[in-house]
């Protein structure tokens, strides 16, 4: 476990440097902030955990420092993950601005409902500072559901969006899908995990390392250039994009002047029609 933790710390730092060196932080700002947070917090938490096993570390309450630092990072990561999902949405749906705008609005409401449901379902059995862990796991559980839904959406709509497997937005979603699976494992078995040498901890750490390996490969590989999307005007997704673009836009207002008395003009039109009909009949009889 110590070797896996050390490998995780190295991979977080290397991935953050690689992400910034390739200029990907301009496209995915929330993702770059997330990588920086994990690259800084992971070695610090490891130091606090190792210090807790020493006498001088216990004198400085290293265990409490690790507990607060771990769950503070956990909550901050959950908040950043929400913005990362929005960034992946925008990158994947960049060819459809109307659908992107509507999807982000729906996603925000779904996120609010998911957070409310998760926090209300927390047992709140712990009191005091231990309550932080219940709230943190509930918040991360709601974000994990959103990550899995995002990955499922991209997998089902790749053909319609002309999105390839090599696209970085899909790679980010795939990595967070594995990470959310790891979070579900920890949240489900947290009451049965007795130590850091528990088998579930090895499963969790293995999924984290697999996620970091996937992201590293996606950052190293050259991303394919997305070509302009051409589609027939009668395609369904094109109509959806036009409808979504029209939502919320009132359009140009045109002032239409109504006649003063529509009934009077209707009567005049009828009289004129009768006169014309009589004249036509008179001409036909003369002929």
């Amino acid at each position: 476990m110590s070797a896996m933790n050390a490998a995780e710390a190295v991979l977080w730092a290397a991935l953050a440097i690689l992400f910034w060196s390739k200029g990907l932080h301009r496209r995915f700002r929330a993702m770059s902030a997330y990588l920086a947070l994990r690259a800084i917090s992971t070695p610090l938490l490891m130091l606090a955990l190792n210090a807790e096993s020493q006498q001088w570390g216990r004198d400085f309450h290293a265990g409490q420092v690790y507990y607060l630092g771990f769950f503070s990072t956990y909550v901050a990561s959950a908040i950043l993950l929400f913005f990362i999902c929005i960034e992946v949405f925008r990158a994947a749906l960049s060819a459809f601005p109307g659908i992107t705008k509507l999807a982000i609005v729906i996603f925000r409401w779904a996120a609010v409902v998911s957070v409310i449901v998760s926090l209300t379902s927390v047992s709140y059995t712990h009191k005091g500072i231990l309550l932080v862990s219940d709230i943190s796991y509930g918040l991360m559980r709601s974000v994990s559901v959103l990550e899995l839904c995002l990955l499922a959406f991209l997998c089902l709509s790749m053909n319609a969006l002309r999105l390839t497997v090599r696209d970085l937005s899909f790679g980010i979603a795939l990595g967070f899908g594995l990470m959310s699976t790891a979070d579900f494992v920890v949240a489900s078995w947290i009451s049965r995990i007795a130590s850091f040498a528990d088998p579930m901890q090895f499963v969790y750490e293995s999924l984290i390392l697999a996620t970091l390996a996937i992201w590293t490969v996606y950052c190293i590989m050259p991303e394919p250039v997305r070509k302009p999307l051409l589609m027939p005007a009668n395609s369904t997704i094109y109509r959806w994009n036009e409808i979504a673009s029209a939502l919320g836009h009132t359009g140009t207002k045109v002032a239409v002047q109504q006649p003063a008395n529509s009934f009077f003009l209707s009567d005049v039109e009828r009289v004129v029609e009768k006169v014309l009909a009589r004249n036509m009949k008179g001409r036909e009889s003369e002929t």
Side-chain angles (χ1 to χ4, degrees):
M1 179 58 66
S2 299
M4 295 176 74
N5 289 331
E8 179 187 352
V10 172
L11 284 176
W12 279 120
L15 183 59
I17 295 173
L18 181 63
F19 202 84
W20 278 78
S21 63
K22 299 196 69 172
L24 298 176
H25 62 281
R26 299 185 183 94
R27 291 175 54 195
F28 302 96
R29 294 186 178 181
M31 182 66 182
S32 62
Y34 176 80
L35 294 177
L37 174 66
R38 297 301 296 264
I40 296 173
S41 62
T42 299
L44 293 179
L45 291 175
M46 289 179 59
L47 290 175
L49 184 62
N50 292 330
E52 197 271 338
S53 61
Q54 306 294 329
Q55 181 60 41
W56 63 270
R58 289 192 290 270
D59 295 338
F60 286 97
H61 305 285
Q64 296 181 2
V65 172
Y66 174 81
Y67 180 86
L68 294 176
F70 176 82
F71 285 107
S72 298
T73 305
Y74 210 62
V75 173
S77 299
I79 296 174
L80 286 175
L81 287 176
F82 169 74
F83 294 102
I84 292 173
C85 290
I86 294 180
E87 288 182 344
V88 173
F89 251 127
R90 288 175 176 169
L93 299 174
S94 59
F96 305 97
I99 297 179
T100 302
K101 181 179 179 182
L102 183 61
I104 290 177
V105 173
I106 297 175
F107 178 81
R108 288 173 178 172
W109 280 106
V112 172
V113 173
S114 178
V115 170
I116 293 175
V117 172
S118 297
L119 294 182
T120 53
S121 62
V122 175
S123 60
Y124 297 103
T125 56
H126 299 102
K127 303 297 181 181
I129 194 173
L130 296 178
L131 185 62
V132 176
S133 61
D134 294 336
I135 297 176
S136 300
Y137 284 126
L139 184 61
M140 183 58 74
R141 192 181 301 114
S142 64
V143 177
S144 298
V145 172
L146 295 177
E147 292 170 355
L148 291 175
C149 292
L150 175 61
L151 179 59
F153 168 76
L154 293 180
C155 291
L156 293 175
S157 59
M158 288 183 66
N159 292 331
L161 300 177
R162 305 296 191 270
L163 192 68
T164 63
V165 180
R166 293 175 55 190
D167 195 272
L168 182 58
S169 58
F170 179 79
I172 293 175
L174 179 61
F176 279 120
L178 287 177
M179 191 173 291
S180 62
T181 303
D183 291 326
F184 272 121
V185 169
V186 172
S188 300
W189 292 80
I190 188 64
S191 59
R192 305 179 186 180
I193 296 176
S195 65
F196 287 99
D198 191 271
M200 284 296 108
Q201 288 285 1
F202 284 95
V203 174
Y204 175 81
E205 195 65 29
S206 299
L207 292 175
I208 296 296
L209 293 177
T211 300
L212 295 175
I214 289 174
W215 285 343
T216 303
V217 171
Y218 268 90
C219 289
I220 293 175
M221 287 192 314
E223 189 177 3
V225 180
R226 299 188 67 178
K227 299 179 181 179
L229 189 60
L230 300 177
M231 61 181 60
N234 59 351
S235 64
T236 303
I237 193 170
Y238 177 77
R239 292 199 300 267
W240 288 355
N241 184 66
E242 293 298 316
I243 294 172
S245 300
L247 292 177
H249 295 280
T250 57
T252 305
K253 296 182 178 180
V254 180
V256 179
Q257 184 176 2
Q258 296 291 338
N261 192 343
S262 59
F263 295 102
F264 172 75
L265 293 178
S266 299
D267 294 337
V268 172
E269 290 177 356
R270 292 173 184 173
V271 171
V272 172
E273 289 177 356
K274 290 180 180 180
V275 172
L276 291 176
R278 289 177 182 177
N279 292 335
M280 292 295 294
K281 290 180 181 179
R283 292 178 182 178
E284 290 178 355
S285 61
E286 291 176 358
T287 304

